[in-house]
Amino acid sequence: MARMVSYQDWVRATRTPTDTFAIDLHPQSVQLGDHILLEGVYYPIKDMRDVGSGAKLLILDGRPPWRMAGPLHMYRPKERTTVKLEEGPK
């Protein structure tokens, strides 16, 4: 049976997470707290496990675990970046 989600929760889950930036990541580069877009919803990564051949099993908040086998477009919190982000015109 499908889980019912309130409209407010759905709207919050389908918006790009605040204070994040888009980045393409390989499974080895994923960090806890990154967000992944699956089936139109952004899920934060709570935990992960190595599953061999460079893949990771991502433990997501609000969804069953998901196997990441190759690079994906993800969202990382800005405060956790080691890369200097370019600022737009002032």
Side-chain angles (χ1 to χ4, degrees):
M1 178 177 219
R3 184 180 73 146
M4 297 299 294
V5 176
S6 72
Y7 177 74
Q8 290 83 4
D9 288 341
W10 179 81
V11 168
R12 184 173 50 251
T14 56
R15 288 190 180 146
T16 304
T18 57
D19 294 325
T20 61
F21 65 98
I23 185 169
D24 292 321
L25 294 173
H26 289 273
Q28 299 83 4
S29 303
V30 174
Q31 298 177 3
L32 298 180
D34 289 347
H35 289 75
I36 184 170
L37 178 64
L38 296 173
E39 300 171 351
V41 177
Y42 294 92
Y43 294 98
I45 298 171
K46 292 177 65 175
D47 201 1
M48 63 185 108
R49 308 278 189 274
D50 287 322
V51 290
S53 33
K56 296 255 184 179
L57 183 67
L58 304 180
I59 311 301
L60 306 170
D61 189 13
R63 186 182 194 285
W66 191 78
R67 187 176 188 271
M68 180 180 177
L72 285 175
H73 194 70
M74 304 189 73
Y75 293 83
R76 177 163 288 168
K78 289 179 182 176
E79 72 271 2
R80 289 194 9 256
T81 184
T82 56
V83 184
K84 182 173 169 101
L85 299 175
E86 294 182 22
E87 294 185 16
K90 295 183 180 189

